[in-house]
Amino acid sequence: MIAFRAPPILHVGPVGWLRANLFSSVFNSVLTLLILALLAWTIPPLLNWAFFSATWAGTTREACANATGACWPYITQRMGQILYGFYDFDQRWRPDVVYTLGAAGLAWLMIPRIPHKGWAGAAMLTVYPLASYVLLTGGWFGLPVVSTERWGGLLLTLVVAAVGIVASLPLGVILALGRRSTLPVVRIFCVVFIEVWRGVPMITVLFIASSMLPLFLPEGLEFDKLARALIAIALFNAAYMAEVVRAGLQALPRGQYEGAGALGLGYWRATTFVILPQAFKIVLPGIVNNMISMFKDTSLVSIIGFFDLLGVIQTGSSDLDWAGPNTAVTGYLFAAAIYWAFCFSMSRYSAHLETQLAEGDRR
């Protein structure tokens, strides 16, 4: 009988993992060493500039005048504008309530242990938008009116992104179904709509909504500038979302359509309960990719006169009261960190959903 012998140390533990994952071949070893050299060249100076040599305390530009690192007092002193834009100071509790309700609703939807997801989804699609509109605009229940021109910062970025994402998905589904319709009028209308909106840059769409659309409205009829921009963004992104959903519809085997028909399901019941759930499962990464792209494109509203998160930081960096060699870069780094946090969160939640949906395929 052969006595038990431990496996070679080069094949187990950390050494074994490094050999299997980073140094499994000559090419992988060279690639690993190049990446490590790149990280060693970039990460330490970035950490030194952002943290170790940064200025953390102060209330004026003199605190950062001789600093060789980031100027974080510039961020702390302008945190109000970054979060709320130019929203009235004594009314900032209203965006805070909207932030809190939104975070609570998303937590309810995303944490698996919390029950009644259907009620949470219905509330987030009906009650929450209405409550947010009443709170942010005012004019109801004695709340003072706050013009949308005073909205800005992270508040405006989240409003534009949320409206664009929530409105573009159902519109995209309708357009995708219409493009595959057997009715020529419906199919041609959807094709023309999608191709026209996809063929025009988003900057042009925003300029048309902001400057040209009021010229075609009847005299005396005024339409809020932000509302025009939100409608334009929703329609623009619906065209892209439609093509993503259409890819999922076309990827389904013909047997799924025939099976739904064999069960006696009509068009709408088959589409709702058989076709669309499977299509969404296939194109979930593409849908989330569109949402992430949409979130980052919210910064384009700055070209029509709004001050979103990036616009507020960009405007603040040109303020002479905070003029300094590192002020602007600090602001852009902070904005990049916020954008990354939101986009990375969406990406990770999408990966979690993909894992959950794939469990049925592994059984």
Side-chain angles (χ1 to χ4, degrees):
M1 183 175 179
I2 302 176
F4 173 77
R5 297 173 60 186
I9 193 171
L10 295 179
H11 294 272
V12 296
V15 176
W17 186 90
L18 289 174
R19 288 193 61 187
N21 295 280
L22 300 180
F23 300 99
S24 58
S25 65
V26 175
F27 177 76
N28 288 344
S29 300
V30 172
L31 193 61
T32 299
L33 292 176
L34 288 176
I35 293 175
L36 290 176
L38 179 63
L39 293 176
W41 180 53
T42 57
I43 297 299
L46 177 61
L47 293 177
N48 181 54
W49 182 87
F51 299 106
F52 305 125
S53 298
T55 302
W56 295 92
T59 56
T60 61
R61 64 183 295 270
E62 281 72 20
C64 304
N66 299 318
T68 57
C71 180
W72 295 116
Y74 161 70
I75 298 297
T76 56
Q77 292 298 312
R78 289 190 169 270
M79 188 57 71
Q81 283 192 359
I82 292 173
L83 292 179
Y84 311 103
F86 306 101
Y87 210 89
D88 296 353
F89 183 80
D90 60 336
Q91 299 295 319
R92 287 180 177 176
W93 62 270
R94 289 152 58 177
D96 288 338
V97 174
V98 173
Y99 286 146
T100 304
L101 292 176
L106 289 177
W108 190 356
L109 288 172
M110 293 180 178
I111 297 177
R113 297 178 181 178
I114 303 179
H116 307 300
K117 303 293 185 189
W119 287 105
M124 289 296 289
L125 291 175
T126 55
V127 178
Y128 179 67
L130 290 175
S132 300
Y133 175 78
V134 170
L135 282 170
L136 293 178
T137 59
W140 304 75
F141 309 110
L143 294 174
V145 175
V146 179
S147 169
T148 55
E149 295 176 353
R150 300 187 63 82
W151 300 10
L154 182 62
L155 171 65
L156 181 62
T157 296
L158 293 179
V159 167
V160 174
V163 172
I165 290 173
V166 173
S168 66
L169 183 57
L171 287 175
V173 172
I174 294 172
L175 289 170
L177 294 174
R179 185 159 187 167
R180 291 171 54 83
S181 173
T182 56
L183 300 176
V185 175
V186 176
R187 185 175 65 253
I188 293 173
F189 172 80
C190 292
V191 170
V192 171
F193 181 93
I194 292 170
E195 297 304 332
V196 167
W197 283 90
R198 286 204 308 167
V200 181
M202 190 170 179
I203 294 177
T204 305
V205 172
L206 290 174
F207 272 126
I208 292 174
S210 171
S211 304
M212 295 185 61
L213 185 60
L215 301 177
F216 300 100
L217 295 177
E219 187 176 355
L221 178 61
E222 295 184 359
F223 200 16
D224 186 80
K225 185 178 178 181
L226 179 59
R228 297 198 302 268
L230 292 177
I231 293 173
I233 290 172
L235 295 177
F236 181 87
N237 288 289
Y240 285 87
M241 196 68 78
E243 290 302 279
V244 175
V245 176
R246 186 171 69 91
L249 295 174
Q250 293 187 172
L252 281 181
R254 187 66 189 169
Q256 296 296 320
Y257 294 88
E258 295 173 350
L263 292 174
L265 299 178
Y267 173 80
W268 291 111
R269 294 182 66 190
T271 301
T272 304
F273 298 111
V274 178
I275 304 304
L276 281 180
Q278 298 184 74
F280 279 135
K281 180 180 175 182
I282 294 173
V283 297
L284 181 60
I287 291 175
V288 176
N289 190 49
N290 261 17
M291 292 178 177
I292 290 175
S293 176
M294 202 183 310
F295 183 81
K296 292 186 294 184
D297 285 346
T298 56
S299 60
L300 292 176
V301 297
S302 61
I303 65 173
I304 57 173
F306 289 107
F307 294 93
D308 68 317
L309 172 63
L310 186 60
V312 165
I313 288 178
Q314 193 168 12
T315 304
S317 64
S318 59
D319 186 354
L320 294 179
D321 291 340
W322 282 97
N326 298 303
T327 303
V329 182
T330 303
Y332 290 132
L333 179 65
F334 185 73
I338 293 179
Y339 278 108
W340 178 85
F342 279 96
C343 294
F344 185 71
S345 300
M346 286 190 278
S347 175
R348 288 298 85 199
Y349 186 66
S350 169
H352 170 72
L353 285 181
E354 290 178 42
T355 304
Q356 295 293 317
L357 294 174
E359 286 186 354
D361 298 335
R362 291 194 290 267
R363 291 172 183 170

